[in-house]
Amino acid sequence: MSTNVILAGVGGQGAVLASKLLARAAMERGLPVKTAETIGMAQRGGSVFSHVRIGEGVHAPLIGRGRADAIVAFEPAEAARQLPFLRPGGMVVTSDAPVVPVSAATGGPAYDLPAIMSHLRERVGEKNLVVVDAAAAEAELGTAKALNVVLLGAAARAGALGSVTVDDLAVAVRATVSPRFLDLDLRALRRAKGTVTFARACVQK
């Protein structure tokens, strides 16, 4: 069995680090892993996404359309952008905090967060959609910089990462993150209660 996960965000949100943590967590379990990253205009707030494929029988790093088991998105519009890759019945774990592109403030199409969230609910279904309250997480942790790790923890609790657990991710955090941020990221990883606006009940426990 294999698990295919897409992690998506914009430049500066830590999508690449999150993919490395997920891959390291899987390897610590002895599972084969393949990854691929597309960074693009990340320095200017452009889309950043990573494909992480875990398990036996995985021979290529890229996930085909309609083949992703889960999308973990650090920004709602990026979750919507990756939906063509999600398989029927797949899960989406996303932050509710928008990163409004410069184009929306300079005469381009408006960023319509309610419409984006409604689209996600309609396409994915509420039982397979986990929405993390970014403001609540930031208030508890004292920073927004660990939101990527909060999302990984929520995804693991929801079962979106296959056999990879929160404890596996904690091992990866200890092995990967700078000691200066270790305590913060471990707290972020275990943060779940109170951050979910609508989701599976298991995430709220």
Side-chain angles (χ1 to χ4, degrees), residues 21-78:
L21 291 174
L22 176 55
R24 180 65 179 263
M27 287 189 290
E28 292 288 346
R29 289 184 64 92
L31 298 171
V33 181
K34 291 190 180 297
T35 66
E37 297 166 357
T38 299
I39 297 176
M41 298 295 287
Q43 295 294 330
R44 299 184 183 181
S47 296
V48 179
F49 58 90
S50 299
H51 290 202
V52 180
R53 305 193 68 201
I54 302 168
E56 302 293 341
V58 171
H59 303 294
L62 293 178
I63 300 168
R65 283 177 171 255
R67 301 296 299 276
D69 298 296
I71 295 169
V72 180
F74 312 117
E75 199 281 331
E78 295 303 321

Side-chain angles (χ1 to χ4, degrees), residues 146-199:
L147 183 61
N148 57 340
V149 184
V150 172
L151 266 289
L152 279 181
R157 285 183 175 83
L161 306 182
S163 61
V164 174
T165 67
V166 171
D167 288 339
D168 296 327
L169 290 168
V171 171
V173 166
R174 291 188 179 96
T176 307
V177 172
S178 165
R180 185 160 62 112
F181 301 110
L182 183 58
D183 179 67
L184 171 64
D185 281 347
L186 288 175
R187 286 191 294 122
L189 185 61
R190 300 186 184 282
R191 168 69 174 146
K193 197 170 184 179
T195 63
V196 178
T197 53
F198 51 88

